[in-house]
Amino acid sequence: MAQTPKSLASKLSKRGPHRVLRGDLALAGQPGVVYTPAEGFNLPAVAFAHDWMTTAANYAGTLEHLASWGIVAAAPSTERGPVPSHLGLAADLRTTLDICTGVRLGPGRISVHPDRLAYAGHGMGAGVAVLAASQESRAKAVAALFPAPITPSAVVAAAGIEVPGLILAGAKDIDSLGSDALALDDEWRAESLLRVVDKGSSNGLVEGRRILGFLGVGGTERHTQHVARALLTGFLLRHLTDDRDYAVFSDPDAHFPGTHPVTREETEHLDLRDAAAHRMGAKIGHLLGR
C-alpha cells in the first residue's frame, strides 16, 4: 500500500538507514565539507550554500541527514564575511559539484552519478543556489530554503531555470521584505513548489551558535529543521532517483503536516516584485543576520 504524505514526511524527518562518513573538501582544493553514505555507486548529490554570516558547519545536521538517506551532500565554506560575493559563492557551489562527480569519495566505495545532481541553499545561499543553477544545465533540481534577496537577483535568474524547484518560506517571515519566496515562485520558469513552514522562521534552520547570536538574532527551531529536512530529502529523492515512492513530493496538492501551500491573502499587502523593495529587503536582511 502506498505511503501517505504524512507517513513519508514522518519517516524522512528521521535519520535514514545509511551510515554516514564526513570528508574535507579542502583536500580537493575547495574549503568546505562533504557528507556521504558509507558506500554506494552512482549516488545522487547536492551542493548546499550557507546563509549570510554562517558557515557550512551550521548545517552539519542537515547535510548528515541527507547523507543518511543516500544523498551525497557537500557544502563550500567560503564567503563567510559581512560583505560576501554571491557570484563567488555560486562559483564555489559549482566547483563543489565538480569535486563530487570527479573525485572518488571516501575509501573508494563511493561515486556520484553525473546526471543526479542538485543545488540547494538557505537564506542568502538559497539565492546563490538559484544563480548557480542558472549558469549551467547539469542540475536536475534546485531547492531554495527560506530565500533572501541577493545581488545579482536570483529572481531574474529563476526565470531561466528549466528544472523543478522547491521553495520553503517561514510563516514568520514570508511577508517580510527579506524574503524572496513569492517572487521566486512567480518567476520560476519550470514547475516550482512553494510551501510555508507553520510556526517557522528562516533563522530556525541554522544549527548551533551563529556570529550574530549575541544580538538576539534568531535561534535554532527543531520543528523548522525537522520539516525542512523531510521536504528537502523527499524532493531530492523524487527528482534525483528513480524511486516512485517519493512522487508525492512533486504534488502541489499534497498535504504535509507542519506546512501549507501559500495563499496570496497572506501577503496581498506586499509586492515583492518591486525593485526598490528587493533592494531594501536585502539591506534589512543583512542587518538582521540574513
Side-chain angles (χ1 to χ4, degrees):
M1 184 173 67
Q3 298 183 74
T4 66
K6 180 179 180 180
S7 63
L8 280 172
S10 176
K11 181 177 76 171
L12 293 179
S13 69
K14 302 178 178 65
R15 186 182 178 88
H18 295 275
R19 185 167 64 89
V20 175
L21 303 179
R22 180 188 182 281
D24 189 348
L25 289 177
L27 296 176
Q30 172 65 58
V33 296
V34 57
Y35 289 82
T36 74
E39 58 183 359
F41 295 107
N42 294 320
L43 297 171
V46 60
F48 189 96
H50 61 80
D51 194 8
W52 184 68
M53 295 292 282
T54 65
T55 72
N58 291 114
Y59 303 92
T62 296
L63 299 173
E64 184 175 0
H65 182 89
L66 292 170
S68 77
W69 283 100
I71 302 168
V72 172
S77 197
T78 55
E79 304 299 340
R80 300 176 297 173
V83 188
S85 167
H86 301 144
L87 285 173
L89 185 54
D92 291 338
L93 209 59
R94 298 195 305 275
T95 298
T96 296
L97 275 192
D98 290 337
I99 294 171
C100 289
T101 56
V103 176
R104 184 57 61 88
L105 304 172
R109 298 193 302 272
I110 305 164
S111 70
V112 169
H113 195 290
D115 293 330
R116 296 180 174 179
L117 307 177
Y119 288 115
H122 169 236
M124 174 190 81
V128 168
V130 174
L131 281 184
S134 73
Q135 294 166 345
E136 59 179 20
S137 59
R138 59 178 163 171
K140 296 299 185 289
V142 182
L145 311 181
F146 311 96
I150 64 168
T151 302
S153 172
V155 174
V156 174
I161 293 184
E162 298 180 345
V163 297
L166 171 67
I167 305 168
L168 295 187
K172 299 178 182 178
D173 45 36
I174 189 173
D175 61 349
S176 74
L177 292 176
S179 173
D180 254 358
L182 286 170
L184 283 176
D185 186 47
D186 286 342
E187 298 300 325
W188 208 282
R189 184 170 183 175
E191 175 189 74
S192 63
L193 297 175
L194 171 57
R195 298 186 185 277
V196 175
V197 178
D198 302 335
K199 301 179 181 179
S201 68
S202 174
N203 289 317
L205 191 62
V206 178
E207 303 158 20
R209 301 180 65 179
R210 62 184 303 177
I211 296 173
L212 296 180
F214 69 95
L215 293 176
V217 175
T220 296
E221 298 169 359
R222 294 193 180 276
H223 165 74
T224 299
Q225 291 178 359
H226 289 167
V227 172
R229 289 171 184 172
L231 294 182
L232 175 60
T233 303
F235 174 77
L236 293 176
L237 290 174
R238 161 67 181 91
H239 292 288
L240 301 185
T241 74
D242 297 323
D243 194 333
R244 296 181 179 276
D245 287 345
Y246 301 104
V248 68
F249 286 91
S250 62
D251 182 356
D253 297 322
H255 173 69
F256 296 98
T259 75
H260 68 270
V262 70
T263 60
R264 295 299 165 165
E265 289 74 14
E266 293 178 87
T267 54
E268 61 183 1
H269 62 285
L270 182 65
D271 183 9
L272 284 180
R273 292 190 180 188
D274 183 82
H278 278 297
R279 290 194 294 270
M280 182 60 69
K283 295 178 181 177
I284 293 174
H286 287 174
L287 290 173
L288 294 178
R290 299 291 299 278

